[in-house]
Amino acid sequence: MSTLPSQPGIRRRRRADPSFWLLAGLASLILAFLYLPVVVLIVFSFNDNIVTTLPLKGFTWHWYQAMLANEDMLAAIGNSLYVATVATALTLVIGVPAAFAIDRADFPGKTAFRRLVMLPLTLPGIITGISMLNMFRMLGFNLSLETVIMGHGTALIAIVVTQVYARLQRFDRRLEEASGDLGGKPWQTFLMVTLPNIRSAVIGSGLLAFTLSFDEIPVTFFLTGRDNTLPMYIYSTLRRGITPEINAIGTIIVVVSLGLIFLSISLLRDPQRRPASAKPG
């Protein structure tokens, strides 16, 4: 009777292969290239020197205190949070029903609709921004944070539609049929059966839309009015050079982003799923 090799045995064999170490070294170099600038940013946010240069002079919290005392930066952060939150809600409110329509309904122009939904995501941000700027001027709208929200929602709705639609394609419709056979109303079936099964796609696409909206520059540049978002504020201050306050707010954004990622992973983890190594009793 043949037996399958154990996982430790497979790992040892892989590590004995020279190509394994070559790929591991290449992956390490790529990761260092991607994340070393982030590490530099974090280090210089604690450097007791107004000039971002070596050698380091000492550890300080001064630049975080200066950031918290900067009213313009705090206002920009508040504006970015407002825009990203409302734009994400807008993409979910429109994107989830749109994904259901594509998956469940047959209507004239369905193929064209699917392609048009993807168009803002594939177009460069500058094209989307100029197009929406012309539309708002034609309609007589004043540029404000609300026009930025509509621009972000238009540009990012494709993320929600594609992610939720892909999850619906893998969803077992028999679960909904069973709920209906047991007397469940459509709204009960959606809340108790369908939504829990597509929850990961909804939350994941929402987090991605929030992150992209918070960092968006091209669309924001054309649609913002007198109120600056954080990326626009940083962009305007960079003309005078990188300041330690910019490093401080960048560090906070990195930490918060990592926290949101780990939070989403813990929320999406199935508590009833057994480890792969568990054996049936």
Side-chain angles (χ1 to χ4, degrees):
M1 181 177 178
S2 62
T3 58
L4 295 175
S6 63
Q7 289 294 330
I10 295 175
R11 293 194 189 100
R12 283 194 296 269
R13 242 176 292 177
R14 287 176 178 173
R15 291 173 182 173
D17 187 354
S19 62
F20 170 82
W21 296 106
L22 179 62
L23 292 175
L26 181 61
S28 299
L29 289 175
I30 294 174
L31 290 175
F33 176 79
L34 291 175
Y35 294 105
L36 185 59
V38 177
V39 175
V40 172
L41 179 142
I42 295 174
V43 169
F44 276 104
S45 72
F46 297 103
N47 183 30
D48 190 12
N49 189 354
I50 195 171
V51 180
T52 307
T53 184
L54 294 173
L56 303 176
K57 287 192 173 182
F59 180 88
T60 181
W61 291 98
H62 173 72
W63 308 120
Y64 289 86
Q65 297 171 353
M67 179 201 70
L68 294 175
N70 189 329
E71 296 183 359
D72 292 336
M73 180 177 289
L74 293 179
I77 294 173
N79 292 336
S80 287
L81 290 174
Y82 167 67
V83 168
T85 301
V86 180
T88 301
L90 183 63
T91 59
L92 292 175
V93 169
I94 299 177
V96 173
F100 270 90
I102 295 173
D103 181 65
R104 305 289 175 85
D106 290 323
F107 53 89
K110 179 177 178 179
T111 302
F113 175 75
R114 290 176 56 182
R115 294 174 180 174
L116 287 174
V117 166
M118 288 294 298
L119 189 60
L121 189 61
T122 57
L123 286 175
I126 189 172
I127 301 300
T128 302
I130 293 175
S131 301
M132 299 205 69
L133 174 62
N134 290 332
M135 184 191 71
F136 287 136
R137 284 183 173 176
M138 182 181 65
L139 296 176
F141 286 8
N142 294 323
L143 298 182
S144 63
L145 293 178
E146 284 68 34
T147 56
V148 175
I149 290 171
M150 288 187 278
H152 287 193
T154 301
L156 300 175
I157 192 173
I159 294 175
V160 176
V161 174
T162 53
Q163 294 297 317
V164 176
Y165 174 72
R167 183 62 186 88
L168 288 172
Q169 289 286 291
R170 302 191 301 271
F171 176 61
D172 189 353
R173 297 283 296 275
R174 292 176 296 181
L175 296 175
E176 294 178 333
E177 296 172 358
S179 175
D181 292 340
L182 293 173
K185 297 179 180 179
W187 65 269
Q188 292 175 322
T189 299
F190 175 77
L191 291 178
M192 298 180 181
V193 178
T194 308
L195 186 58
N197 280 277
I198 65 171
R199 178 184 61 183
S200 59
V202 174
I203 295 177
S205 60
L207 288 174
L208 182 57
F210 181 90
T211 303
L212 293 176
S213 176
F214 193 88
D215 296 334
E216 174 63 41
I217 290 182
V219 176
T220 307
F221 179 82
F222 289 99
L223 300 181
T224 190
R226 293 176 296 177
D227 298 317
N228 267 337
T229 60
L230 182 61
M232 294 302 300
Y233 174 82
I234 294 176
Y235 176 76
S236 62
T237 57
L238 286 179
R239 298 175 182 177
R240 301 188 298 270
I242 299 177
T243 64
E245 293 177 42
I246 302 300
N247 295 331
I249 186 59
T251 300
I252 292 177
I253 292 174
V254 170
V255 173
V256 172
S257 299
L258 290 176
L260 288 176
I261 292 173
F262 287 119
L263 176 61
S264 65
I265 292 174
S266 64
L267 290 174
L268 297 175
R269 185 180 301 155
D270 186 357
Q272 297 180 351
R273 186 177 61 185
R274 293 180 297 178
S277 60
K279 297 181 179 180

